[in-house]
Amino acid sequence: MKAPRFTSWFGKLRLLNQPQRLRVLDALHPAAGLEQVIALIGQIREAGRCCPRCSSRCWYRHGHANDLQRFRCRDCGRTFNDLSGTPLARLRLRGKWLDYLQTLLDATSVRRAASRVGVHRNTAFRWRHRFLHWVKLDRPAQLGGIVECDEMFLLESQKGARTLNRPPRKRGGAASKRGISNELDCILIARDRSGATIDAVVGRGALKAAQLEQHLLPKLDRQALLVTDANAAYRSFSRRHGIAHECVNLRAGVRVRHARQSAIHVQNVNGYHSRFRTWLARFNGVASRYLPNYLGWRWAHDGGRITTREQLLRIAVSVIYS
């Protein structure tokens, strides 16, 4: 629109009644959101921008496409933008991303998020797991001091699968076997007294020492004191790797005991289990293959660690090249 025509159009805005003004604001809202998202993406990637093919930092600007600045690598000739190589690449409707990120902060259901943002429920579901793809990797590098570790179990779910490798259950149902069996997903959670937390879906059935070596050992400070329940897997793991270990016998009714001038208990990690179960219940069951995303989502919420849409967007686009 040329300047004289825009000036004439802009001068008539004061003549609009309230419903008409609201319609104009609704029409302009996605455009304002788009500009904000594009500016944030450029700001986040500016310092570490490099070619997704060869990791070269020698590039030059190469026009625009789909509202994003494109770049061309001087070494390999590939063109790319700031979303190339990220889970957000080729996602549309960028003007609605910030509104959708707010629904992630509010932990709303797929259908409610779709209704609030104005997209299809399938789009809302796809966006959820694209935005959470890197969030699940945003974890502390190491746990130290007193580290509480315990496992929790959730019924295996193939929600959303087109074919099942077992008989279907009604409304989630219950396991057909008593106790801990291969029908349950085992989730390992370790948490130190500062609140730093790591977690992993380690497999099905009872916890094994080999799973602790794979998921816990790389994150555990060798000088830390590992506090667990009386599960034999923890005892075997700590002896094999020379890690100081204390346990509490919950089955015998022992909740807290004192040793080495410290309170020995697993109430910190068990409280995290309880909060996770309560929070997860609002989604009416989640598929087992998406559990790592929901663990990362919950960790982002826990303790108010991530409170703004900009922080979530930064995590979603900052870990790009592996």
Side-chain angles (χ1 to χ4, degrees), residues 155-176 183:
L155 185 63
E156 173 269 344
S157 172
Q158 298 180 35
K159 183 178 181 180
R162 295 182 181 274
T163 58
L164 301 178
N165 56 17
R166 56 163 174 76
R169 299 189 294 257
K170 285 190 176 181
R171 295 290 181 182
S176 60
E183 296 182 38

Side-chain angles (χ1 to χ4, degrees), residues 135-310:
V135 173
K136 67 176 180 284
L137 303 180
D138 180 44
R139 288 292 189 278
Q142 200 169 56
L143 303 181
I146 299 177
V147 179
E148 300 177 22
C149 188
D150 198 6
E151 72 276 17
M152 62 179 291
F153 296 91
L154 294 176
L155 185 63
E156 173 269 344
S157 172
Q158 298 180 35
K159 183 178 181 180
R162 295 182 181 274
T163 58
L164 301 178
N165 56 17
R166 56 163 174 76
R169 299 189 294 257
K170 285 190 176 181
R171 295 290 181 182
S176 60
K177 303 175 184 177
R178 296 181 60 185
I180 299 174
S181 69
N182 59 3
E183 296 182 38
L184 302 176
D185 290 315
C186 179
I187 301 173
L188 178 70
I189 297 180
R191 185 175 172 91
D192 66 22
R193 295 288 169 88
S194 70
T197 305
I198 62 168
D199 47 52
V201 182
V202 300
R204 302 267 173 83
L207 180 68
K208 301 177 179 61
Q211 295 168 335
L212 290 171
E213 292 175 356
Q214 178 182 354
H215 298 282
L216 178 61
L217 186 61
K219 296 283 190 176
L220 187 63
D221 184 355
R222 297 306 177 89
Q223 304 303 316
L225 172 63
L226 182 64
V227 180
T228 69
D229 59 16
N231 190 328
Y234 297 112
R235 187 163 55 251
S236 174
F237 163 76
S238 58
R239 286 177 179 173
R240 186 178 305 173
H241 297 282
I243 296 171
H245 177 232
E246 294 284 350
C247 66
V248 289
N249 193 346
L250 299 177
R251 290 188 176 182
V254 178
R255 298 292 178 184
V256 182
R257 63 186 184 82
H258 296 274
R260 302 183 185 181
Q261 299 179 346
S262 301
I264 303 302
H265 60 78
V266 289
Q267 295 178 3
N268 188 9
V269 70
N270 284 340
Y272 190 86
H273 288 176
S274 178
R275 294 194 299 274
F276 178 67
R277 288 183 186 275
T278 302
W279 176 83
L280 195 66
R282 70 185 67 189
F283 302 112
N284 297 317
V286 300
S288 295
R289 63 187 178 128
Y290 291 122
L291 272 178
N293 288 354
Y294 285 91
L295 286 167
W297 190 3
R298 178 59 211 171
W299 164 237
H301 275 266
D302 191 66
R305 246 181 28 82
I306 295 179
T307 57
T308 67
R309 303 174 299 180
E310 290 75 13

Side-chain angles (χ1 to χ4, degrees), residues 42-54:
Q43 177 186 350
I44 292 166
R45 291 304 310 154
E46 184 175 8
R49 185 180 294 129
C50 60
C51 174
R53 174 184 289 174
C54 66

Side-chain angles (χ1 to χ4, degrees), residues 29-42 64-70 81-84 86-101 117 119 123 127 130-131 309 313 317:
H29 183 70
L34 177 61
E35 293 296 329
Q36 191 175 357
V37 166
I38 298 301
L40 281 171
I41 291 172
H64 287 77
N66 300 319
D67 301 308
L68 287 172
Q69 173 71 55
R70 291 197 67 79
N81 62 38
D82 283 332
L83 294 180
S84 297
T86 76
L88 308 187
R90 299 184 179 86
L91 282 188
R92 302 174 184 271
L93 303 177
R94 297 188 188 97
K96 298 185 177 184
W97 283 6
L98 290 179
D99 289 338
Y100 185 77
L101 286 170
V117 178
V119 296
T123 300
W127 283 7
R130 291 284 192 95
F131 280 109
R309 303 174 299 180
L313 183 63
V317 303

Side-chain angles (χ1 to χ4, degrees), residues 64-133:
H64 287 77
N66 300 319
D67 301 308
L68 287 172
Q69 173 71 55
R70 291 197 67 79
F71 308 91
R72 183 179 290 276
C73 177
R74 294 182 183 275
D75 292 334
C76 69
R78 177 191 174 103
T79 61
F80 61 95
N81 62 38
D82 283 332
L83 294 180
S84 297
T86 76
L88 308 187
R90 299 184 179 86
L91 282 188
R92 302 174 184 271
L93 303 177
R94 297 188 188 97
K96 298 185 177 184
W97 283 6
L98 290 179
D99 289 338
Y100 185 77
L101 286 170
Q102 186 60 50
T103 70
L104 289 181
L105 290 176
D106 297 339
T108 58
S109 66
V110 167
R111 291 177 184 271
R112 187 171 298 175
S115 175
R116 184 191 298 184
V117 178
V119 296
H120 193 271
R121 61 181 181 276
N122 292 350
T123 300
F125 180 79
R126 181 168 59 254
W127 283 7
R128 170 183 288 182
H129 294 290
R130 291 284 192 95
F131 280 109
L132 295 176
H133 184 79

